[in-house]
Amino acid sequence: MRKVHFVLVTLLLAGCGPHPGYDVVIRGGTILDGGGGAPYLGDVAIRGDSIAAVGRVPGHGRTEIEARGMAVAPGFINMLSWSSEPLLQDGRSQSEIRQGVTLEVMGEGWSMGPLNDAMKRRVIQEQTDIKYEVTWTTLGEYLDQLVRRGISCNVASFVGATTVRIHELGYADRAPTAAELDTMRALVRQAMEEGALGVGSALIYAPAFYAHTDELIELCKAAAPYGGMYISHMRSEGGRLLESVDELIRIAREAGVPAEIYHLKAAGAANWGKLDSVIARVERARAEGLRITADMYTYTAGATGLDAAMPPWVQEGGLPEWRRRLQDPAIRKRVALEMRTPTDKWENLLLAAGSPDKVLLVAFKQDSLKPLTGKTLAEVARMRGESAEETAMDLVVQDDSRVGTVYFLMSEDNVRREVGLPWVAFCSDEGSQAPEGVFLESNPHPRAYGCFARLLGKYVRDEKAASLADAVRRLTAFPAENLGLTRRGRLKPGAFADVVVFDPATIQDHATFDKPHQYATGVRDVFVNGQQVLKNGEHTGARPGRVVRGRGWKGPR
């Protein structure tokens, strides 16, 4: 009996004493804990899926990792990811894991639920290179399915305002009836209870373009009691940029929610000078107590489709109706004229780019058109002996898609300035890729492979546009706090062990517009929920990713 008592006391002391057992200890790195304070030398200990200790960690872990000369930070948060389809193809999330991204946040206007039967059919019909069955209905079911399939990163999503609108109105250019709006609000509430982070919109695109401000306010009011926020690709980033910032602030104020500007920019040379006024509007609203923030990617070009070069009216009814109209000579003549005519009634990225030579065609659905990948719209127009406008219309008809397109729109000076703003987080606005298989069928924007490495290499280390500690803060704790995530974004005991070990002296992007399928370098080790997914720069194959849910989640914690 005395021997048993001695053993019990010994075990209790071992559990409370200075030498607990850890699964992993990362030793001697430069700790950037996410809070933005001064870096310091120390250790990070991991037990199970959580951080157990930070600082001077005595004892030993089952695995010891030497990190002298390396930075150790929380996993990075991608505030706008289009990995919803790529993760169905390849759950490893290679191009982003290799940059230190451990949480992919989706839902810019379109989310993978809620879907009705007609929407499911259209999703399948409009698939391009990546093929998959649609076996889910709600957003929560989609996210759970990703985890069941196995993913290396964590995932979260906003519910798309576009998705909710299509669910009830299809692609019609009209306001919802009172009954339809009631159902749309109910769909938002359901998504919030499944863990959505809030409501996301993308207002330059049909049919989201057709939504009036009051409709968006009502959807956000439905999300507000669940702690949701509003996040938006605003109605304009060019000619009506300032008015669009005002609309976002109005939605935040009247719905009682925080709001974030997706991929902050002033698009088109004529609008570059508006950035000062944008910053002033946001900072004035923040001073009033509104939680207004933004995110950005670290490039002067954006990527979307040829739909962003054509008026929204011609796209009413969705892709089939759009293609049908583009084959009518009278309609083509009107569309071509509007594509060439400056206006503030809709966002024309072809005119914003300034020339079809600054419009790059990067993704086609039809094999017959894939040889055009990487050519400019101007080059293809010359090859065909047509105008740029005629060529764009023909490509949409022939490809049966919006055609993936890169537009060169922004000022390098503005990008550098945005990098330094304390209320700006970061995003790729791309899907996670790998230089293999189906991903090689098209060219992504190089931000898919390089956005976060480019931030830490080009803009932080080389150009000193922000301090390393503050850049890490805005990659980690800042977006986590905005999203209401209490156990993500910090290196502190009790937080989930999403950890990145990288070399600030060598981290570098390598992807280019000509050759985008190139991994970034300089990130050595990555842990997701305590499991190592990147070891010495190589993917381990581990898939410990989870769904990260918002504050409205009604399931088990």
Side-chain angles (χ1 to χ4, degrees), residues 25 41 66 98 146-147 165 172 203-204 215 273 326-327 367 443 446 475 506-507 512 529 534-535:
V25 179
L41 295 179
E66 177 57 57
R98 290 168 182 261
L146 279 183
V147 172
R165 174 173 248 272
L203 300 177
I204 76 166
E215 176 184 324
L326 290 183
Q327 295 173 72
D367 290 342
N443 279 1
L475 284 165
T506 64
I507 191 167
T512 65
N529 299 315
L534 196 73
K535 182 177 182 179

Side-chain angles (χ1 to χ4, degrees), residues 95 99 298-299 446-455 508-511 518 520:
S95 67
Q99 295 182 76
T298 51
Y299 295 84
R447 62 196 181 192
Y449 285 86
C451 183
F452 305 94
R454 184 176 178 85
L455 166 69
Q508 187 68 48
D509 64 301
H510 301 286
Q518 300 185 75

Side-chain angles (χ1 to χ4, degrees), residues 30 46 107 141 203 324-325 455 478 496 528:
T30 300
I46 297 171
E141 289 168 353
L203 300 177
R324 182 186 63 78
R325 291 191 187 100
L455 166 69
F478 176 66
F496 287 111
V528 174

Side-chain angles (χ1 to χ4, degrees), residues 110-370:
W110 172 261
S111 55
M112 295 296 263
L115 305 177
N116 57 32
D117 289 342
M119 295 168 76
K120 291 180 184 181
R121 288 193 295 271
R122 190 173 289 249
V123 166
I124 292 170
Q125 290 165 1
E126 296 184 2
Q127 288 172 6
T128 54
D129 295 328
I130 296 174
K131 310 294 185 186
Y132 53 92
E133 295 296 320
V134 181
T135 57
W136 63 89
T137 298
T138 72
L139 178 58
E141 289 168 353
Y142 161 77
L143 294 169
D144 287 337
Q145 182 170 130
L146 279 183
V147 172
R148 285 195 299 271
R149 292 167 67 99
I151 51 175
S152 297
C153 56
N154 297 311
V155 289
S157 184
F158 289 84
V159 60
T162 309
T163 305
V164 170
R165 174 173 248 272
I166 293 171
H167 195 283
E168 292 306 299
L169 281 76
Y171 293 80
D173 182 1
R174 64 174 177 84
T177 65
E180 287 167 338
L181 186 58
D182 280 345
T183 303
M184 291 164 68
R185 285 188 288 241
L187 290 170
V188 169
R189 288 192 290 268
Q190 178 185 1
M192 295 302 297
E193 292 180 2
E194 291 179 329
L197 301 169
V199 175
S201 70
L203 300 177
I204 76 166
Y205 305 106
F209 176 88
Y210 310 140
H212 294 172
T213 308
D214 289 344
E215 176 184 324
L216 298 167
I217 290 171
E218 289 304 310
L219 296 184
C220 290
K221 283 182 177 178
Y226 300 95
M229 66 183 292
Y230 176 60
I231 189 165
S232 180
H233 180 151
M234 298 185 300
R235 210 171 289 275
S236 173
E237 298 172 327
R240 292 185 62 80
L241 172 59
L242 302 182
E243 294 86 345
S244 296
V245 173
D246 290 341
E247 181 187 37
L248 178 131
I249 293 170
R250 178 190 162 193
I251 292 168
R253 180 179 287 114
E254 295 190 20
V257 294
E260 179 151 316
I261 299 168
Y262 269 135
H263 43 58
L264 177 66
K265 66 173 75 70
N271 302 301
W272 290 350
K274 296 178 179 179
L275 183 60
D276 284 345
S277 295
V278 170
I279 294 170
R281 275 169 161 77
V282 171
E283 293 187 342
R284 186 162 56 245
R286 288 171 61 83
E288 293 171 9
L290 294 175
R291 287 174 51 201
I292 308 298
T293 54
D295 53 63
M296 66 173 294
Y297 48 77
T298 51
Y299 295 84
T300 57
T304 179
L306 288 175
D307 50 339
M310 298 185 203
W313 64 261
V314 79
Q315 301 173 50
E316 184 179 3
L319 180 60
E321 287 300 302
W322 179 21
R323 291 180 68 238
R324 182 186 63 78
R325 291 191 187 100
L326 290 183
Q327 295 173 72
D328 181 312
I331 291 177
R332 286 173 65 91
K333 185 175 181 180
R334 179 183 168 190
V335 170
L337 177 62
E338 292 191 24
M339 291 173 71
R340 290 191 291 265
T341 304
T343 181
D344 63 1
K345 303 300 182 185
W346 58 281
E347 195 89 328
N348 185 339
L349 297 193
L350 174 58
L351 286 185
S355 164
D357 291 296
K358 295 181 180 179
V359 177
L360 196 63
L361 305 171
V362 296
F364 293 93
K365 180 178 181 178
Q366 307 299 331
D367 290 342
S368 60
L369 293 175
K370 287 185 182 294

Side-chain angles (χ1 to χ4, degrees), residues 91-109:
R92 293 173 297 171
S93 191
Q94 288 259 40
S95 67
E96 300 239 336
I97 286 291
R98 290 168 182 261
Q99 295 182 76
V101 174
T102 59
L103 174 57
E104 307 264 5
V105 182
M106 300 175 281
E108 185 202 4

Side-chain angles (χ1 to χ4, degrees), residues 30 32 39 71 456 460-461 466-473 475 502 504:
T30 300
L32 295 135
L456 296 173
V460 172
R461 179 189 61 233
S467 71
L468 180 59
D470 192 53
V472 168
R473 177 186 70 86
L475 284 165
F502 68 95

